[in-house]
Amino acid sequence: MESSTHTAAALAERFGLVLRGDGAAEIDAVATLAGAGPRQLSFLSNPRYRGQLAGSAAGIVVVREDDAAGLDRTLLVARDPYVAFAQIAALFDPPPVANPGVHPSAVVDAGAEVDARAEVGPLAVIGARSRIAAGAIVGPGCVIGEDCVVGAGSRLVARVTLVRRVRLGDRVLIHPGAVLGADGFGLAMDAGRWIKVPQQGGVAIGDDCEIGANTTIDRGAIEDTVLEEDVRLDNQIQVGHNVRIGAHTAMAGCVAVAGSAVIGRYCLIGGAAGIVGHITICDRVVIQAMSLVTSSIDVPGEYSSGTPLMDARSWRRSAARFRQLDALARQVQALDKEKT
Amino acid sequence: MESSTHTAAALAERFGLVLRGDGAAEIDAVATLAGAGPRQLSFLSNPRYRGQLAGSAAGIVVVREDDAAGLDRTLLVARDPYVAFAQIAALFDPPPVANPGVHPSAVVDAGAEVDARAEVGPLAVIGARSRIAAGAIVGPGCVIGEDCVVGAGSRLVARVTLVRRVRLGDRVLIHPGAVLGADGFGLAMDAGRWIKVPQQGGVAIGDDCEIGANTTIDRGAIEDTVLEEDVRLDNQIQVGHNVRIGAHTAMAGCVAVAGSAVIGRYCLIGGAAGIVGHITICDRVVIQAMSLVTSSIDVPGEYSSGTPLMDARSWRRSAARFRQLDALARQVQALDKEKT
Amino acid sequence: MESSTHTAAALAERFGLVLRGDGAAEIDAVATLAGAGPRQLSFLSNPRYRGQLAGSAAGIVVVREDDAAGLDRTLLVARDPYVAFAQIAALFDPPPVANPGVHPSAVVDAGAEVDARAEVGPLAVIGARSRIAAGAIVGPGCVIGEDCVVGAGSRLVARVTLVRRVRLGDRVLIHPGAVLGADGFGLAMDAGRWIKVPQQGGVAIGDDCEIGANTTIDRGAIEDTVLEEDVRLDNQIQVGHNVRIGAHTAMAGCVAVAGSAVIGRYCLIGGAAGIVGHITICDRVVIQAMSLVTSSIDVPGEYSSGTPLMDARSWRRSAARFRQLDALARQVQALDKEKT
């Protein structure tokens, strides 16, 4: 983290916030409400932490107008305190900038093209016909295969693999262990044995996407697997071949998306949810954690599957009855019919 | 992809297909029905794409006999169009062949044995007493520990780890980020602290297996974890210690198989399904996506668990009733008893 | 595995076990009951293997008092045979000891501090201000970023990534592909686009923790993500930012823990279970495989969600009825009301 000092007045002006209290109040770090000291800035966004506001020693707090009433301390009032906090916190943790040059331990194919303003870290490998654009950072231990593009200002943190035919837009951020462009899982059964279906497509990642640690995105079978701009994937997500994910969609960790699924824009997919193959989900759909989407969704809204958590003894009783549910429903119908 | 040109007549003869139309029609690539041009070959296998057939500009289409009727274009009729397509597509994307030799940046233990016809890529590490057979490819950034075998013609694409005592058969294909031979998860609780149970077995992978990106297969506790021949695992699958998977079984992404489970031959395990430990599944079992197998299965067929996706509001009502299901069933029984 | 020979009498004395039979019986390996020969030691702990005891050729068997009755062979009677077996097996598979020194192919930042008694393997990378303590092993292909600590006697097996600000205690064991300290998944939506919330915390891992292959543990947003001592995580587990996991808790493979969840001590989390964010689980809670925890738990015990596995045809009937469950319950209430 970088060391720098900011006054409440300067922050208000820079980020378009409303100042209450002492404009000369200085901070040189951010912190949680509970943990902040007088030279630190904190924020209140999630209402469950409202109780911590009164006792917080934070020098400045970013709040919503509603939460500001009656507080006798230095505040920055924001329409969305979480957004304002994110912007202020970034002052102390600016994203790394490329330190141009190729580390001597990296192995770069003679047919690869690395811009003079790009950084290639120690022990990275770059394959034939791949191109690393200006300002891009290829971190330590990354392996980039053939026919890939890393767009301007993109960053592969460390140990990322782009297997083949992977094209990243600009400002894409990929975390360690992610694998983009591995063979899609295409198999045909022939005379009792599997034969492999060649995977001749690529992967196309739009500008400003973020891909989490150990997430995998397979190459398309014929055409590309596509993430539109500003898609945000958390860790350990699996995206099958020929999937298309719309702009601004975000997925929490461990989601599994099967081949050829098409997902709309501004969707939110909860952790460990599953999406089967060859279906379409429209824009602005929210899928709850660990739910399974088994058919297309064409109405925006929130969807769930599964059953609630119960103590194991009660659960076993409900689960046993689930097996008999059709018989139970028929019994009720019969009773209903007989009652007259 | 390689560039090559093939006529309809030549393809028909080479792969045993029935030619309809112009045997001299030439193609030099494959494509989807919707995307194909006149010098490309496409196929129809999944009935949901049948509507695209009439409008497709493909020069040649591979179809089933049933779908060929009344079509006035160049066709190759196949018993299984997907198999035929896979074979034809492979003409344009032949698997890479070992480029013999050890890259100067690789670190090979003096006690390892690398066949002169094997390829060891940049920045790979090969440990003591490990053996790389003829025609094998160990890609960039792979780490092979001690006492491993990579069989003839096998390929570790990049950044694959074989930890210890991992023996691969011939023509095994492993995608980046996969980890084979890590310690099985063996723990015993002793006086309030965990102690580690040594994992002295290995991993044995049969011929023609394929292992997906970031998939993990642990070493056995005493004996080996075993995949029989032609097992196909997609990405991010976890296989616990001492599991045994029968020949020709395929698993979609994100499946979790707990220790000592035994799975039969020709099983199909859907994405994100779970299989608990110490159970046995017979041959030819199909498990639906995200289902959990909690006890042995000895009848072939298709199995499921879970509940269907619903809009969240309706789901909350059903879920609340699930908690009370046993009481509901008792109430129905009482009503049924009282009715006479 | 090391070769060494031990008598029943010596093992009994060393580990505080009760000897029955021939104290001079010698073994030089461990094995399963079914696979053991006369110079091998086996054990019986899981009752499902009791039937194998009579036929086992093992030279020595470790058993519970209850199982020892009437057996005319050399036995070591233990309160917990699995613990005793783990201790005896470790004689044949001692954990590796650091071979001090830095491999010439490793890339160590001038500002890093590597203890002279630590081992840094081939092609490892160690970043600025990171410290590797005495007896630690950083295996081949590991990448350690800036401001990290690897405590005394800890071992990163191979290809482990510590991204930034990750502090490991002593004797921590991390398996290949694990990624600790990647950015937490923090996003705020601003005018229709995501903006990234800086992740300024770190990861703190207590003494004696074990982290499985391809497991990911993100850095905290402001404060640290914390694992207390002796936490045991299997493979492919995802731990979000600011999670806290209590001492001696163990998780099976593929568990997903969302951000800011707090999990108690001595919990057992089953495979592929999910835990949503911002909740608290008390000590000594057991979560069954693939269950989803959606709210805080303050009573120790065992918890489940989901439905049992069924043949797919029956399942479809039950699943259809689950959708109508609220209507069914209302119908039953109406019938119950009308009956009088």
Side-chain angles (χ1 to χ4, degrees):
Chain A
M1 283 166 287
E2 301 216 346
S3 174
S4 60
T5 297
H6 306 269
T7 65
L11 293 172
E13 182 169 345
R14 183 165 184 167
F15 296 111
L17 309 173
V18 176
L19 170 68
R20 303 265 170 92
D22 178 13
E26 282 186 342
I27 55 107
D28 36 40
V30 297
T32 59
L33 280 175
R39 289 189 65 85
Q40 294 181 311
L41 173 143
S42 192
F43 74 109
L44 174 64
S45 175
N46 187 332
R48 82 171 68 203
Y49 297 113
R50 191 173 291 144
Q52 297 181 359
L53 191 50
S56 175
I60 306 175
V61 183
V62 186
V63 294
R64 220 174 266 109
E65 180 64 53
D66 298 357
D67 292 317
L71 290 177
D72 183 25
R73 58 190 309 162
T74 301
L75 301 173
L76 293 171
V77 180
R79 201 177 41 81
D80 185 334
Y82 194 45
V83 166
F85 173 78
Q87 293 167 329
I88 295 168
L91 300 176
F92 302 99
D93 194 30
V97 170
N99 182 8
V102 176
H103 193 277
S105 64
V107 178
V108 179
D109 188 274
E113 187 189 329
V114 178
D115 189 281
R117 288 156 297 174
E119 171 181 347
V120 177
L123 304 171
V125 177
I126 301 182
R129 297 176 304 282
S130 283
R131 189 165 63 78
I132 314 300
I137 301 177
V138 176
C142 290
V143 175
I144 297 180
E146 304 171 357
D147 302 298
C148 295
V149 176
V150 177
S154 287
R155 180 175 175 225
L156 282 53
V157 175
R159 271 189 51 233
V160 168
T161 307
L162 309 183
V163 184
R164 279 175 88 182
R165 294 194 289 271
V166 178
R167 299 183 311 283
L168 309 180
D170 297 342
R171 299 172 304 279
V172 171
L173 174 59
I174 309 187
H175 296 287
V179 178
L180 280 69
D183 290 0
F185 194 59
L187 299 170
M189 180 58 79
D190 183 35
R193 301 189 67 84
W194 294 110
I195 64 171
K196 187 169 172 65
V197 180
Q199 302 291 307
Q200 306 190 2
V203 174
I205 305 290
D207 295 341
D208 300 302
C209 287
E210 181 169 357
I211 313 283
N214 284 351
T215 280
T216 50
I217 304 178
D218 278 354
R219 240 167 43 234
I222 296 177
E223 298 174 344
D224 289 343
T225 302
V226 177
L227 270 64
E228 296 177 3
E229 60 161 349
D230 195 28
V231 169
R232 307 290 175 139
L233 303 186
D234 195 359
N235 298 344
Q236 298 202 38
I237 289 171
Q238 150 70 357
V239 177
H241 56 175
N242 296 106
V243 165
R244 183 174 194 102
I245 304 179
H248 316 294
T249 282
M251 298 191 183
C254 305
V255 168
V257 184
S260 299
V262 176
I263 299 171
R265 294 158 53 98
Y266 291 106
C267 292
L268 299 173
I269 314 294
I275 297 173
V276 306
H278 294 275
I279 67 164
T280 299
I281 296 177
C282 66
D283 294 351
R284 299 187 186 276
V285 165
V286 176
I287 304 294
Q288 299 291 3
M290 222 188 255
S291 298
L292 177 65
V293 182
T294 51
S295 54
S296 292
I297 297 178
D298 50 16
V299 179
E302 202 174 323
Y303 296 83
S304 269
S305 70
T307 78
L309 194 79
M310 302 168 68
D311 71 88
R313 191 185 163 130
S314 305
W315 177 83
R316 277 188 286 268
R317 283 197 293 255
S318 283
R321 297 298 187 180
F322 180 85
R323 286 180 183 273
Q324 312 154 348
L325 205 49
D326 189 54
L328 183 73
R330 287 172 192 279
Q331 194 178 5
V332 172
Q333 281 163 4
L335 284 169
D336 200 53
K337 212 166 181 177
E338 287 169 22
K339 81 180 177 199
T340 49
Chain B
M1 282 163 288
E2 303 218 345
S3 174
S4 61
T5 297
H6 306 270
T7 65
L11 292 171
E13 182 169 345
R14 183 164 183 168
F15 297 111
L17 309 172
V18 176
L19 171 67
R20 303 267 170 90
D22 179 11
E26 281 187 342
I27 54 106
D28 36 42
V30 296
T32 59
L33 279 174
R39 290 191 63 87
Q40 294 180 312
L41 173 143
S42 191
F43 74 108
L44 175 63
S45 175
N46 187 332
R48 81 169 69 201
Y49 298 113
R50 192 174 290 144
Q52 298 181 357
L53 191 50
S56 175
I60 306 176
V61 183
V62 186
V63 293
R64 218 173 266 109
E65 180 65 51
D66 298 356
D67 292 316
L71 291 176
D72 183 26
R73 59 189 308 162
T74 300
L75 300 174
L76 293 171
V77 180
R79 198 177 43 80
D80 184 336
Y82 194 45
V83 167
F85 173 78
Q87 293 167 330
I88 294 167
L91 299 175
F92 302 99
D93 194 29
V97 170
N99 182 8
V102 176
H103 194 278
S105 65
V107 179
V108 179
D109 188 276
E113 186 188 331
V114 178
D115 189 281
R117 289 155 298 174
E119 171 181 348
V120 176
L123 304 171
V125 177
I126 301 181
R129 297 177 304 281
S130 283
R131 188 164 63 77
I132 314 299
I137 302 177
V138 176
C142 289
V143 175
I144 297 179
E146 303 172 354
D147 301 298
C148 294
V149 176
V150 177
S154 287
R155 180 176 175 226
L156 281 53
V157 173
R159 272 190 50 233
V160 169
T161 308
L162 309 184
V163 185
R164 279 175 88 182
R165 294 194 288 270
V166 178
R167 299 183 312 281
L168 309 180
D170 297 342
R171 298 173 305 280
V172 170
L173 174 59
I174 309 188
H175 295 288
V179 178
L180 280 70
D183 289 0
F185 195 58
L187 299 170
M189 180 58 80
D190 184 34
R193 300 189 68 84
W194 293 111
I195 64 172
K196 188 169 171 64
V197 180
Q199 302 291 307
Q200 306 191 0
V203 174
I205 304 289
D207 295 341
D208 300 301
C209 287
E210 182 169 357
I211 313 285
N214 285 351
T215 280
T216 49
I217 304 178
D218 278 353
R219 245 173 32 239
I222 296 177
E223 298 174 343
D224 289 343
T225 303
V226 177
L227 270 64
E228 295 177 4
E229 61 161 347
D230 196 28
V231 168
R232 306 290 176 141
L233 303 187
D234 196 357
N235 298 345
Q236 298 201 38
I237 288 171
Q238 150 69 359
V239 178
H241 56 176
N242 297 105
V243 165
R244 183 174 194 102
I245 303 179
H248 315 294
T249 282
M251 298 191 184
C254 305
V255 169
V257 184
S260 299
V262 177
I263 299 171
R265 294 156 55 97
Y266 291 107
C267 292
L268 298 173
I269 313 296
I275 297 173
V276 306
H278 294 277
I279 67 164
T280 299
I281 296 177
C282 66
D283 294 351
R284 299 186 185 277
V285 164
V286 176
I287 304 295
Q288 299 291 1
M290 221 187 257
S291 298
L292 177 65
V293 182
T294 50
S295 53
S296 292
I297 297 178
D298 50 15
V299 179
E302 203 173 322
Y303 296 84
S304 270
S305 69
T307 78
L309 194 79
M310 301 168 70
D311 71 88
R313 194 186 160 127
S314 304
W315 176 83
R316 277 189 286 268
R317 283 198 292 256
S318 284
R321 297 299 185 180
F322 180 84
R323 286 180 184 273
Q324 312 154 346
L325 206 48
D326 189 54
L328 185 73
R330 287 171 192 280
Q331 195 177 6
V332 173
Q333 281 162 6
L335 284 169
D336 201 53
K337 211 165 181 178
E338 287 169 22
K339 81 182 176 197
T340 48
Chain C
M1 280 164 291
E2 302 217 345
S3 175
S4 61
T5 298
H6 305 270
T7 64
L11 293 171
E13 181 168 346
R14 183 163 184 167
F15 296 111
L17 309 172
V18 176
L19 170 68
R20 301 268 170 91
D22 179 12
E26 281 186 344
I27 54 107
D28 36 40
V30 296
T32 59
L33 279 173
R39 289 190 64 86
Q40 294 179 312
L41 172 143
S42 192
F43 74 108
L44 174 64
S45 174
N46 187 332
R48 80 170 70 202
Y49 298 113
R50 192 173 291 145
Q52 296 181 0
L53 190 51
S56 174
I60 306 176
V61 183
V62 185
V63 293
R64 220 174 266 108
E65 180 65 51
D66 297 357
D67 292 316
L71 291 176
D72 183 25
R73 58 190 307 162
T74 301
L75 301 174
L76 292 171
V77 180
R79 199 176 43 80
D80 184 336
Y82 194 45
V83 167
F85 174 78
Q87 293 167 327
I88 294 168
L91 299 176
F92 301 100
D93 195 28
V97 170
N99 182 8
V102 176
H103 194 276
S105 64
V107 179
V108 179
D109 188 276
E113 187 188 328
V114 179
D115 189 282
R117 287 155 298 173
E119 171 181 348
V120 176
L123 304 171
V125 177
I126 300 180
R129 299 176 303 280
S130 283
R131 189 164 62 76
I132 314 299
I137 302 177
V138 176
C142 290
V143 175
I144 297 179
E146 303 171 354
D147 302 298
C148 295
V149 176
V150 177
S154 287
R155 180 175 175 226
L156 281 54
V157 174
R159 271 190 52 235
V160 168
T161 307
L162 308 184
V163 183
R164 278 175 89 184
R165 295 195 287 270
V166 178
R167 300 182 311 282
L168 309 180
D170 296 342
R171 297 172 305 279
V172 170
L173 174 59
I174 310 188
H175 295 288
V179 178
L180 280 69
D183 288 0
F185 195 59
L187 299 170
M189 179 59 80
D190 183 35
R193 301 190 67 84
W194 293 112
I195 64 171
K196 188 169 172 65
V197 181
Q199 303 291 307
Q200 305 190 2
V203 175
I205 305 288
D207 295 341
D208 300 302
C209 287
E210 181 169 359
I211 314 283
N214 285 351
T215 281
T216 49
I217 304 178
D218 278 353
R219 238 167 44 234
I222 296 178
E223 298 175 344
D224 289 343
T225 303
V226 177
L227 270 64
E228 296 177 3
E229 60 161 348
D230 195 29
V231 168
R232 307 290 176 141
L233 303 186
D234 195 359
N235 298 345
Q236 297 201 40
I237 288 170
Q238 152 68 359
V239 177
H241 55 176
N242 297 103
V243 166
R244 183 175 194 102
I245 304 179
H248 316 295
T249 282
M251 298 191 183
C254 304
V255 169
V257 184
S260 300
V262 176
I263 300 171
R265 295 156 53 97
Y266 291 106
C267 292
L268 298 172
I269 313 294
I275 296 172
V276 306
H278 294 276
I279 66 164
T280 299
I281 297 177
C282 67
D283 294 350
R284 299 187 185 277
V285 164
V286 177
I287 304 294
Q288 298 291 1
M290 223 188 257
S291 298
L292 177 65
V293 182
T294 51
S295 53
S296 292
I297 297 178
D298 50 15
V299 179
E302 202 173 323
Y303 295 84
S304 269
S305 70
T307 78
L309 195 80
M310 302 169 69
D311 70 89
R313 192 185 163 129
S314 304
W315 177 82
R316 276 188 285 269
R317 283 199 292 255
S318 285
R321 297 298 186 181
F322 179 85
R323 285 180 184 274
Q324 312 154 347
L325 205 49
D326 189 53
L328 184 72
R330 287 172 191 279
Q331 195 177 7
V332 172
Q333 281 162 5
L335 283 169
D336 200 52
K337 211 164 181 178
E338 287 169 23
K339 81 181 177 200
T340 47

